[in-house]
Amino acid sequence: EASGPTTITVFGASGDLAKKKTYPALFGLYRNQFLPKDTQIIGYARTKMDLPEFHTRITSFIKLPDEDKPEGREVREQLQAFLKLCHYVSGQYDQDGDFDSLNRTLQQQERFHERPNRLFYMALPPSQFVNVAKEVRHHCYVEHGVNRLIVEKPFGHDLESSRELQRELSSLFTEEEVYRIDHYLGKEMVKNLLILRFANVFFGGIWSRQFISNVQITFKEAIGTEGRGGYFDEFGIIRDVMQNHMLQMLSIVGMECPVSLDAEDVRDEKVKLLRFIRPLEAKDVVLGQYTRSEDGKQEGYLDDSTVPAGSKTPTYAVAVFHINNERWDGVPFILKCGKALDQQKTEIRIQFRDVPGNIFPHQTVRNELVVRVQPKEAVYVKMMNKKPGLAFDTTISELDLSYHKRYADVKIPDAYESLILDCLRGDHSNFVRDDELDAAWKIFTPVLAKIDAGEMEPVPYAYGSRGPAEGDEFVRRVGYQHDGGY
Ligand code: BG6
């Protein structure tokens, strides 16, 4: 830990990620007094603009409560104070001189303190990424102090390119200095998984193939690529969310209890779990691509002018994973994700086995534990209960921990706030380690190569639908049973 003043440099300060996530998260931390004392924030981008203009931009990034609301005035005052910490440097991403001048700005902000603490946040497109890392290492690195680098996906597009990127990065920074963001790891309900699993005796006992029939993790969005199609088309839904966000949730659901909460202990267990997963084959996956909505109002993926004509990039995927270890052998883990579906929802659904020796034939349905990651965070258990009344009937009910009821007064922090704070504290637990990334790419690379070669056709589905019927059929076939489905 450095004791010196902290500077946070945001590269790509005029871009989309900085606008939507980085600055609002930094302001959230500032408001709640989580930024270290004497923090200064330096935005860096190519766009030339003066400080008032940059401040106007930041202000437009931040959602403010109405002025007549009680907190309206307070938040505005806090924002004015926050803006005083926000500086701007414009420069190219590959010019030594520009980074020298950034370094001078940093030194001034640090008042030439001997042990400064520098955090570099790379809110940049992948093409700029290695250049900037090199410039930072050669022109803005402090030998006596702390240097931390936050990087965002995509971390390559397959095993080889990810290793290549890793080679470049590791020649510049140590693994200790690098924080790879997967923002799902900063989400409240994803962080809750470790506690649910390992701080409750009753889940531990039933958490295996003996009691669990299958696990289904769903990520649905109700909007399409909406103008981001050009970017998305290079990646597709598997690289965009499944290989990272969804696989992270799977790892935490599946891993063994870590030796401690220490970042390396937690990540060791995740890597071990990933190594037990059989790489996906074509037969394990169904792909889809959305077409115009049934009412004709929403455009199909290929109607987006930024998407290359005839693209076969999937916007929907469902895949089954097999974890070949003692705990999970024979339990399918089904991951389903898609854009332009009927609703927005991310949830983890653990379905238990039938009651052995059941004396209530035709009247029981399987228990399920559901963790709703978003929206409306909740944990609930579906269980059989007596239908109240004179008759001796069964009914399915929920033990329901809905956060908006149980924790009504608590504001759930944004994932980025939580992760930036972790980084400022030097805690790597919720960041992706190099070998973890490697293990994740190994699972997906063979099937991605087939998709890229055009060997796997996406099935069309209408914007706003549940996705292709083939996806539902696949899920039924590989092991998921709906309530009352038998
Ligand atoms: C990003 C993907 O990583 O995650 C986006 O690139 C996706 O396509 C987003 O929309 C989802 O994040 P959240 O926090 O809105 O669920």
Side-chain angles (χ1 to χ4, degrees):
E1 272 306 287
S3 48
T6 300
T7 54
I8 302 174
T9 307
V10 180
F11 292 108
S14 60
D16 214 40
L17 181 72
K19 167 171 131 187
K20 289 196 185 131
K21 301 290 183 186
T22 320
Y23 277 96
L26 288 170
F27 178 54
L29 289 174
Y30 173 78
R31 280 190 64 195
N32 296 302
Q33 294 166 9
F34 280 120
L35 286 185
K37 209 168 144 279
D38 294 332
T39 297
Q40 300 291 329
I41 303 165
I42 290 95
Y44 185 104
R46 285 181 299 201
T47 317
K48 287 219 177 339
M49 63 185 133
D50 58 19
L51 196 58
E53 202 180 333
F54 182 60
H55 283 179
T56 310
R57 263 191 200 227
I58 298 180
T59 308
S60 72
F61 300 166
I62 288 163
K63 288 190 199 83
L64 293 169
D66 289 342
E67 220 160 342
D68 49 1
K69 288 233 175 90
E71 75 276 20
R73 217 173 114 206
E74 192 191 332
V75 178
R76 280 173 176 73
E77 280 167 16
Q78 286 165 332
L79 181 60
Q80 288 314 311
F82 173 72
L83 290 177
K84 295 210 170 81
L85 312 179
C86 295
H87 314 270
Y88 184 72
V89 175
S90 94
Q92 299 301 311
Y93 288 128
D94 54 0
Q95 295 293 318
D96 298 352
D98 290 347
F99 283 82
D100 284 332
S101 96
L102 171 63
N103 191 44
R104 282 194 295 277
T105 305
L106 290 171
Q107 286 170 339
Q108 279 156 14
Q109 295 306 333
E110 292 157 352
R111 294 177 202 91
F112 297 90
H113 196 283
E114 274 176 18
R115 287 189 53 78
N117 193 338
R118 292 187 175 181
L119 168 59
F120 300 99
Y121 193 120
M122 315 271 263
L124 290 169
S127 54
Q128 308 290 5
F129 180 77
V130 172
N131 276 346
V132 174
K134 279 186 189 151
E135 296 287 353
V136 168
R137 181 65 186 83
H138 297 133
H139 301 273
C140 303
Y141 190 90
V142 279
E143 292 299 338
H144 303 285
V146 174
N147 303 274
R148 295 187 176 123
L149 195 70
I150 294 189
V151 297
E152 289 269 352
K153 79 174 172 59
F155 308 121
H157 58 268
D158 58 8
L159 183 60
E160 206 185 298
S161 53
S162 157
R163 283 187 173 166
E164 181 54 38
L165 185 64
Q166 185 43 34
R167 258 194 300 277
E168 300 252 27
L169 200 59
S170 63
S171 69
L172 302 165
F173 294 92
T174 65
E175 184 62 19
E176 194 58 33
E177 290 169 331
V178 177
Y179 292 75
R180 289 179 201 83
I181 283 204
D182 182 313
H183 78 284
Y184 266 63
L185 290 176
K187 291 200 186 253
E188 186 66 26
M189 297 313 278
V190 177
K191 286 166 75 178
N192 189 30
L193 289 172
L194 217 58
I195 297 185
L196 276 182
R197 284 201 55 199
F198 301 118
N200 289 303
V201 71
F202 52 87
F203 287 134
I206 54 172
W207 211 260
S208 72
R209 64 195 301 276
Q210 199 186 344
F211 292 98
I212 293 178
S213 147
N214 62 77
V215 174
Q216 189 176 150
I217 306 179
T218 307
F219 166 103
K220 285 178 161 196
E221 285 185 320
I223 54 168
T225 49
E226 336 273 292
R228 245 179 106 230
Y231 161 84
F232 183 88
D233 201 71
E234 281 178 44
F235 299 96
I237 196 76
I238 294 185
R239 291 184 177 98
D240 192 42
V241 299
M242 195 187 264
Q243 180 266 357
N244 34 65
H245 309 328
M246 300 191 76
L247 194 65
Q248 281 293 347
M249 293 188 269
L250 184 155
S251 314
I252 309 174
V253 170
M255 73 188 205
E256 298 301 310
C257 184
V259 175
S260 77
L261 291 175
D262 178 86
E264 300 323 320
D265 288 338
V266 173
R267 300 190 298 176
D268 283 350
E269 290 307 332
K270 287 207 225 164
V271 174
K272 197 164 121 210
L273 192 274
L274 292 177
R275 292 178 57 208
F276 276 119
I277 300 179
R278 216 169 66 195
L280 285 181
E281 295 174 33
K283 68 174 173 46
D284 301 324
V285 185
V286 173
L287 303 174
Q289 189 187 75
Y290 68 87
T291 55
R292 189 170 282 278
S293 61
E294 266 167 20
D295 63 9
K297 288 190 183 148
Q298 304 289 348
E299 286 191 337
Y301 180 68
L302 294 178
D303 301 325
D304 182 335
S305 60
T306 59
V307 170
S311 163
K312 288 187 178 175
T313 299
T315 58
Y316 166 102
V318 46
V320 60
F321 297 76
H322 302 281
I323 305 173
N324 191 25
N325 67 9
E326 195 179 4
R327 185 185 288 274
W328 296 118
D329 190 10
V331 179
F333 280 66
I334 302 160
L335 269 47
K336 183 163 104 182
C337 51
K339 301 227 168 232
L341 293 173
D342 53 346
Q343 55 175 330
Q344 187 228 345
K345 185 170 77 176
T346 301
E347 72 175 22
I348 300 167
R349 189 173 283 262
I350 290 148
Q351 192 180 66
F352 293 89
R353 292 193 183 280
D354 292 323
V355 170
N358 176 25
I359 58 168
F360 305 100
H362 315 302
Q363 289 184 319
T364 63
V365 292
R366 291 180 173 185
N367 292 131
E368 286 182 359
L369 166 67
V370 182
V371 177
R372 196 183 313 119
V373 176
Q374 63 189 36
K376 293 213 166 140
E377 294 82 353
V379 182
Y380 59 94
V381 177
K382 293 197 147 202
M383 59 169 211
M384 297 308 296
N385 202 35
K386 180 182 168 305
K387 196 187 250 170
L390 285 177
F392 194 64
D393 280 348
T394 56
T395 183
I396 182 92
S397 291
E398 284 99 36
L399 268 179
D400 181 5
L401 175 60
S402 280
Y403 275 38
H404 68 279
K405 291 187 212 144
R406 180 64 179 80
Y407 305 116
D409 301 335
V410 183
K411 186 191 165 295
I412 304 219
D414 179 74
Y416 277 87
E417 278 180 41
S418 161
L419 293 175
I420 294 173
L421 183 60
D422 281 352
C423 177
L424 287 165
R425 290 174 171 164
D427 181 354
H428 273 91
S429 323
N430 290 315
F431 293 87
V432 186
R433 201 166 67 185
D434 51 357
D435 54 345
E436 192 180 351
L437 194 58
D438 212 71
W441 277 122
K442 275 188 189 151
I443 298 169
F444 288 94
T445 295
V447 93
L448 285 169
K450 287 211 167 82
I451 297 174
D452 294 347
E455 289 169 29
M456 292 170 67
E457 285 283 326
V459 187
Y461 63 97
Y463 192 120
S465 67
R466 280 181 53 82
E470 285 82 345
D472 287 343
E473 166 51 29
F474 173 82
V475 172
R476 259 193 302 280
R477 186 156 44 81
V478 297
Y480 182 73
Q481 302 255 342
H482 285 283
D483 283 357
Y486 46 97

